[in-house]
Amino acid sequence: MSNDPRHRLGRRGEQLAVEHLERRGFVVLDRNYRTRYGELDVVACDADRIVFCEVKTRRAGATSPFEGLREAQRRRLRRMALTWLNDQPGRSYSPELRFDAVGVTLDASGGLVALEHLEGAF
């Protein structure tokens, strides 16, 4: 793993997002799943759905974590989700697929300032 401060920030945000999802009753199926289109941050499920979750982490005072979720990235995330689904031949059927976004804001020492979960973000 890289020791780059941006990578550490992203890993911290993803860990907080995973803990949040687990508290809400989700089971994490995959993290940092690499495809030819990029990387899915978190794939989780509950009894009713599979959720593909994009995690955006920023330092307090920076732009909104969700600022980077533009249409081109949304299309790319859908392609990555399709790749993940195709690569899971033995997975259980889920009646719903959902794309969520979790925005994490951290202070200078890495402490949580805010965590916002947008269900069905796109």
Side-chain angles (χ1 to χ4, degrees):
M1 284 263 167
S2 170
N3 231 3
D4 181 301
R6 292 169 298 179
H7 292 161
R8 284 197 315 267
L9 180 75
R11 284 193 307 268
R12 173 82 173 125
E14 286 179 10
Q15 183 59 41
L16 290 167
V18 163
E19 291 169 5
H20 165 76
L21 291 168
E22 290 174 338
R23 278 192 305 274
R24 300 212 37 227
F26 286 92
V27 174
V28 174
L29 301 174
D30 231 324
R31 287 180 70 173
N32 306 115
Y33 184 80
R34 291 198 174 275
T35 74
R36 65 186 279 198
Y37 306 108
E39 184 178 278
L40 284 169
D41 293 333
V42 180
V43 181
C45 72
D46 63 10
D48 301 319
R49 67 195 56 85
I50 294 176
V51 174
F52 299 94
C53 189
E54 178 68 8
V55 180
K56 295 294 189 183
T57 308
R58 299 286 187 269
R59 291 269 183 223
T63 61
S64 164
F66 299 119
E67 192 129 328
L69 280 177
R70 296 200 168 81
E71 187 56 38
Q73 184 175 17
R74 293 173 183 182
R75 281 193 304 272
R76 190 171 56 85
L77 288 167
R78 287 184 192 102
R79 286 193 302 266
M80 290 187 292
L82 184 58
T83 299
W84 185 90
L85 289 166
N86 286 330
D87 287 348
Q88 310 300 317
R91 70 174 170 76
S92 299
Y93 172 78
S94 287
E96 180 184 349
L97 300 177
R98 192 173 76 195
F99 292 87
D100 290 4
V102 174
V104 179
T105 304
L106 302 175
D107 64 20
S109 65
L112 180 64
V113 172
L115 186 145
E116 187 176 1
H117 181 180
L118 297 177
E119 295 181 1
F122 54 95

